[in-house]
Amino acid sequence: MLEKAESLRRIERLKGELRAQGLDAAVFIYPIDVYYYAGTRQNSLLLVPAQGEPLLLVRKSLSRARLEATIDDIRPFPSSKEFAAALPANFGKIGFTFDVVPVQQYQFYQKLFAGCEFVDASAINREVRSVKSAWELERMRESGRRLGEVFLQVPDFLKAGLREVDLAAEFEYRLRKAGGEGYVRMRAFNQELFMGLALSGASAVMPGFFDGAVTGRGLSAASPHGASQASLVAGSPVFMDYTGVFDGYIVDMTRVFSIGKLPDQLMKAFEVSLLIQNYLVERLKPGAICEELFLAAARLAEEAGLGNCFMGPPGENARFVGHGVGLELDEFPVLAQGFKVPLKAGQTIAIEPKFVFPGQGVIGIENTFAVSEAGGEKITDIPDDIVFV
Amino acid sequence: MLEKAESLRRIERLKGELRAQGLDAAVFIYPIDVYYYAGTRQNSLLLVPAQGEPLLLVRKSLSRARLEATIDDIRPFPSSKEFAAALPANFGKIGFTFDVVPVQQYQFYQKLFAGCEFVDASAINREVRSVKSAWELERMRESGRRLGEVFLQVPDFLKAGLREVDLAAEFEYRLRKAGGEGYVRMRAFNQELFMGLALSGASAVMPGFFDGAVTGRGLSAASPHGASQASLVAGSPVFMDYTGVFDGYIVDMTRVFSIGKLPDQLMKAFEVSLLIQNYLVERLKPGAICEELFLAAARLAEEAGLGNCFMGPPGENARFVGHGVGLELDEFPVLAQGFKVPLKAGQTIAIEPKFVFPGQGVIGIENTFAVSEAGGEKITDIPDDIVFV
């Protein structure tokens, strides 16, 4: 459960941003945003005035929202006729999350908030959420511990003859038994992920819709990501890229396993991925510029002669090397081209230098780190080595 | 893989609707809509003119879209400068899915389609998609067979002392081994589901955000649905409500299990749920009015003295008894109050009369049926009985 003091600190940070941007209030209806500020993801509308107390209007379930929410003023969602009277004040400019709210919802709420101007507060919200408190960092570390323990069990069940989907089933079974919540929230339009990717050999190389280096073949063109029916192949990297979701907080990590020896070229690429990771971790400090970190990583890949297979199959390379993670898998900031902003202490970032070799497989590393004055704190703290079984 | 002839029939039906509504084209960017018409869910824009050939503009992955898509004209997504020139014609009114497209995307595409008027084509799209072809019905039956086989295995692992999340892990493990794709698409804003609900006793009763009779406690306030850490209790219903997703097609079913005898009141309520199901199945024919089916079901529950716990805990009852299902869990039509439309042959509907007894648990039945002249065809065809272990 979210603590009230934690919730109040978040709301105060948001209110400061609203005032700085000349907004009179923010309205949240996207569930994980409501949860972040109010401690409940029941179907609700959260109104945060720039001055004054927040208000939670609940569609379903009111009784559960009353058990969970950290704010004082919780009411049933009013009828359209009674809506205006339920508001604590007349607001001029209201911030709204244009990044995730569908047009129908937008039009509906524009009518309800008659006379108000809705402006896009997506960036404000994502920036506030990107910096994790001490309370959140402790939850992220706990997610890292629990996901790491499942990764350590992989040698217990990894063997030749399994299909990718069998490997996925074994991993996901242990993750659920460990209390993994399963559902992975992504904010970007068009993205979907079912827990993670259990991939092997050439099947891992197939390009796809996923905004990352690797998508996987999946089980059909309707669900074209993650594990497929392909069988594991000895001497070819088994690529396990999984999220762990506990108490809402997501960590993201990748480890490579192998049945038998791997080709020298892939072993060398793995060393380069560690080199890039270590380079970035040393520099994961407040003030470092996201884009510069990506460009440095790409340069290290180039210098190792691996530029063309860095972060994607040749010709379909993704132009990033890390992404914020927290209550959603794709949070701010992104270590990517065009992202010219400085890191802030307390941001949590999955760093994932990966190399895609057509016909052979994918190799690389991924860990979740917290930005700190001392460089990146490793939150997914198990050994990085390839595990040979 | 989607067959080309099937894809063409879908597009022709859509084009007919566009012309009937005076629209010049429809544009789809929501992945499962693109998949439905074009056979790929790669990150793309599908343009379907009311007259002329469809066009697929692909962001990622172009190479994969070329392997999967059923339409002829597939191109890389053009730059904003080149966009207008890439269009086959100037369109006046363009249908767009306002139900699922976020405001930022809407504003972006409004600029790209300069001079065009975007209108809401959500209902047209959902109506076209609600009627399943023979090809789709075969896929739905296959999903039903495979999910049914997992339900038949429940007695192998159901035992006292398990937590709900252990039961979920066992069920989901077998579902994944059977090729279940896992990710359950829902269209409604604010809804989320991780595979299904494995619930027991009083823990199943907790109300929640989910637009159904039952939500479950879940593992945290951040993920407040489905299995919790609560242990199964003998003499109390174990409620398994799960989806199966195969080749993109979802079926939805619920069965009740019990360790030992159940109270007479619950056994009686189970009989009433079967009575309601059978009443509805006989009437699941083209022309039947959705709302009337719901009202008849609610009346049968009232007559049995169970109106207050029908489809939700007393005071938080949902006003529906069934929902369309297909590539998404929440398709048209809905057997609900206010849904005054007639059924059509080929629609597939999960019927789920359920009773929620505070302090005791949830009991009921759910199967997915296809609407036909002979009444509902049961697609999730295993016995309905409570299984005692």
Side-chain angles (χ1 to χ4, degrees):
Chain A
M1 295 286 280
L2 183 61
E3 289 170 5
K4 184 156 184 165
E6 171 77 13
S7 161
L8 290 178
R9 283 190 296 268
R10 296 176 183 180
I11 289 170
E12 283 309 314
R13 282 175 56 218
L14 172 69
K15 287 163 84 168
E17 289 296 318
L18 296 177
R19 291 190 291 262
Q21 307 263 343
L23 299 182
D24 301 308
V27 164
F28 298 99
I29 58 172
Y30 197 63
I32 199 61
D33 295 330
V34 174
Y35 175 77
Y36 177 77
Y37 297 107
T40 182
R41 75 69 83 228
Q42 299 303 307
N43 193 345
S44 317
L45 180 149
L46 175 66
L47 171 74
V48 181
Q51 316 276 357
E53 296 309 308
L55 169 64
L56 189 70
L57 303 175
V58 184
R59 292 180 180 279
K60 187 171 185 291
S61 151
L62 178 63
S63 61
R64 186 146 178 186
R66 288 196 198 278
L67 290 176
E68 295 172 342
T70 48
I71 65 170
D72 296 324
D73 196 353
I74 303 173
R75 304 185 210 167
F77 203 94
S79 71
S80 296
K81 273 186 193 167
E82 295 162 341
F83 192 85
L87 298 179
N90 285 321
F91 300 104
K93 277 192 179 178
I94 294 184
F96 206 44
T97 52
F98 286 19
D99 56 345
V100 289
V101 169
V103 179
Q104 279 186 358
Q105 301 285 324
Y106 174 75
Q107 293 177 336
F108 175 80
Y109 286 103
Q110 268 199 325
K111 276 187 202 145
L112 278 191
F113 285 89
C116 303
E117 181 192 357
F118 276 14
V119 298
D120 191 357
S122 304
I124 292 174
N125 175 51
R126 295 190 74 180
E127 276 157 28
V128 166
R129 285 186 39 198
S130 77
V131 175
K132 275 66 182 176
S133 67
W135 188 91
E136 290 187 286
L137 288 175
E138 196 38 61
R139 259 126 213 101
M140 294 286 291
R141 290 185 196 105
E142 178 65 15
S143 293
R145 275 191 288 272
R146 292 164 85 171
L147 179 60
E149 279 168 21
V150 178
F151 267 95
L152 291 173
Q153 296 172 51
V154 173
D156 300 346
F157 54 82
L158 176 62
K159 56 174 193 276
L162 291 184
R163 301 166 302 165
E164 289 178 351
V165 72
D166 295 321
L167 189 62
E170 297 290 344
F171 192 94
E172 294 159 10
Y173 173 77
R174 286 160 179 83
L175 193 51
R176 285 288 268 163
K177 297 274 285 185
E181 294 171 346
Y183 192 87
V184 181
R185 294 190 173 95
M186 294 195 72
R187 197 164 187 93
F189 183 68
N190 207 296
Q191 294 299 293
E192 299 169 330
L193 179 71
F194 184 72
M195 297 185 93
L197 315 174
L199 310 176
S200 164
S203 170
V205 173
M206 191 158 190
F209 72 90
F210 197 70
D211 284 341
V214 186
T215 301
R217 182 178 294 271
L219 290 156
S220 74
S223 299
H225 79 277
S228 74
Q229 300 274 3
S231 291
L232 306 196
V233 181
S236 191
V238 174
F239 178 87
M240 301 288 289
D241 181 351
Y242 264 88
T243 62
V245 190
F246 300 88
D247 217 358
Y249 283 92
I250 307 174
V251 292
D252 193 5
M253 61 192 294
T254 299
R255 291 294 183 275
V256 170
F257 301 83
S258 181
I259 304 166
K261 259 181 71 102
L262 288 175
D264 287 349
Q265 187 192 27
L266 272 60
M267 289 303 293
K268 186 195 152 216
F270 182 71
E271 291 306 317
V272 177
S273 71
L274 293 184
L275 184 142
I276 293 173
Q277 174 185 260
N278 296 341
Y279 178 94
L280 295 173
V281 170
E282 276 180 31
R283 288 160 182 80
L284 216 62
K285 298 178 181 178
I289 302 300
C290 293
E291 179 180 67
E292 290 173 11
L293 294 176
F294 164 70
L295 292 173
R299 198 166 54 239
L300 288 171
E302 281 291 343
E303 286 168 8
L306 294 168
N308 69 331
C309 56
F310 183 56
M311 299 307 290
E316 304 203 36
N317 312 69
R319 300 294 289 165
F320 86 107
V321 70
H323 56 90
V325 62
L327 291 170
E328 293 172 309
L329 184 61
D330 50 347
E331 296 202 349
F332 275 0
V334 194
L335 305 188
Q337 195 154 18
F339 224 87
K340 297 173 199 289
V341 296
L343 294 179
K344 296 177 183 171
Q347 290 179 326
T348 43
I349 300 178
I351 292 184
E352 49 173 331
K354 291 169 184 171
F355 296 96
V356 179
F357 293 92
Q360 295 189 80
V362 182
I363 205 145
I365 186 75
E366 179 173 23
N367 285 294
T368 302
F369 297 91
V371 177
S372 84
E373 293 291 348
E377 174 200 340
K378 191 178 180 186
I379 278 177
T380 48
D381 197 12
I382 63 165
D384 291 341
D385 316 87
I386 298 177
V387 178
F388 295 91
V389 299
Chain B
M1 296 283 281
L2 184 61
E3 289 169 5
K4 184 156 183 165
E6 171 78 12
S7 160
L8 290 177
R9 283 192 295 267
R10 296 176 184 181
I11 289 170
E12 283 310 314
R13 281 175 57 217
L14 173 68
K15 286 161 87 166
E17 288 297 319
L18 295 176
R19 290 189 293 262
Q21 307 263 343
L23 300 182
D24 301 308
V27 164
F28 297 99
I29 57 172
Y30 197 63
I32 198 61
D33 295 330
V34 175
Y35 175 77
Y36 176 77
Y37 296 107
T40 183
R41 76 68 83 231
Q42 298 303 307
N43 191 345
S44 317
L45 180 151
L46 175 67
L47 172 74
V48 181
Q51 315 277 356
E53 296 308 308
L55 169 65
L56 189 70
L57 302 175
V58 184
R59 292 179 181 278
K60 187 170 187 289
S61 148
L62 178 62
S63 61
R64 186 147 179 185
R66 288 197 198 278
L67 290 175
E68 295 172 343
T70 48
I71 65 170
D72 296 324
D73 196 353
I74 303 173
R75 305 185 209 166
F77 202 94
S79 70
S80 296
K81 273 186 192 167
E82 295 161 341
F83 192 86
L87 297 179
N90 285 321
F91 300 104
K93 277 192 178 177
I94 294 183
F96 206 44
T97 52
F98 286 19
D99 55 345
V100 288
V101 170
V103 179
Q104 280 187 358
Q105 302 285 324
Y106 174 76
Q107 293 179 336
F108 175 81
Y109 286 103
Q110 268 198 325
K111 276 186 200 145
L112 279 190
F113 286 88
C116 303
E117 183 192 355
F118 277 13
V119 299
D120 192 358
S122 305
I124 292 175
N125 174 51
R126 295 191 74 180
E127 275 157 28
V128 167
R129 286 186 40 199
S130 78
V131 176
K132 275 67 181 176
S133 67
W135 188 90
E136 289 187 286
L137 288 175
E138 196 37 63
R139 259 129 214 97
M140 295 284 291
R141 290 185 196 105
E142 178 63 15
S143 293
R145 275 190 288 271
R146 292 164 85 171
L147 180 59
E149 281 168 20
V150 178
F151 266 96
L152 291 173
Q153 295 173 51
V154 172
D156 300 347
F157 54 83
L158 177 63
K159 55 175 194 278
L162 290 184
R163 300 166 302 165
E164 289 178 351
V165 73
D166 296 321
L167 190 62
E170 298 290 344
F171 192 94
E172 293 159 11
Y173 173 77
R174 287 159 178 83
L175 193 51
R176 285 289 268 163
K177 299 273 285 184
E181 295 173 345
Y183 192 87
V184 182
R185 293 190 174 95
M186 294 195 70
R187 197 167 188 92
F189 184 69
N190 207 297
Q191 295 299 294
E192 300 169 329
L193 179 71
F194 184 72
M195 298 183 93
L197 314 174
L199 310 176
S200 165
S203 171
V205 173
M206 192 158 190
F209 72 90
F210 197 70
D211 284 340
V214 185
T215 301
R217 182 178 294 269
L219 290 156
S220 73
S223 300
H225 79 276
S228 74
Q229 300 274 3
S231 291
L232 307 197
V233 181
S236 192
V238 175
F239 178 87
M240 301 288 289
D241 180 351
Y242 264 88
T243 62
V245 191
F246 300 88
D247 216 358
Y249 283 93
I250 307 173
V251 293
D252 193 3
M253 60 194 291
T254 300
R255 291 294 183 275
V256 170
F257 302 83
S258 181
I259 303 166
K261 260 182 69 107
L262 288 174
D264 288 346
Q265 186 192 25
L266 273 59
M267 291 302 294
K268 187 196 151 213
F270 182 72
E271 291 306 318
V272 177
S273 70
L274 293 183
L275 184 141
I276 292 173
Q277 174 184 259
N278 296 340
Y279 178 94
L280 295 173
V281 169
E282 276 180 33
R283 289 159 181 81
L284 217 62
K285 298 178 181 178
I289 303 299
C290 293
E291 179 180 68
E292 289 173 12
L293 294 176
F294 163 70
L295 292 173
R299 198 167 52 240
L300 289 170
E302 281 290 343
E303 286 168 9
L306 294 167
N308 68 332
C309 56
F310 182 56
M311 299 307 290
E316 303 203 36
N317 312 68
R319 298 294 289 166
F320 86 108
V321 71
H323 57 89
V325 63
L327 292 170
E328 293 172 308
L329 183 61
D330 49 348
E331 297 202 348
F332 276 1
V334 193
L335 305 188
Q337 194 152 18
F339 225 87
K340 297 174 198 287
V341 295
L343 294 180
K344 296 177 184 172
Q347 290 179 326
T348 42
I349 300 178
I351 292 183
E352 50 174 329
K354 292 169 183 169
F355 295 96
V356 179
F357 293 91
Q360 295 189 81
V362 182
I363 206 144
I365 187 74
E366 179 174 21
N367 285 293
T368 301
F369 297 91
V371 176
S372 84
E373 293 291 350
E377 173 200 341
K378 190 179 181 187
I379 278 178
T380 48
D381 197 12
I382 64 165
D384 290 342
D385 316 85
I386 298 177
V387 179
F388 295 90
V389 298

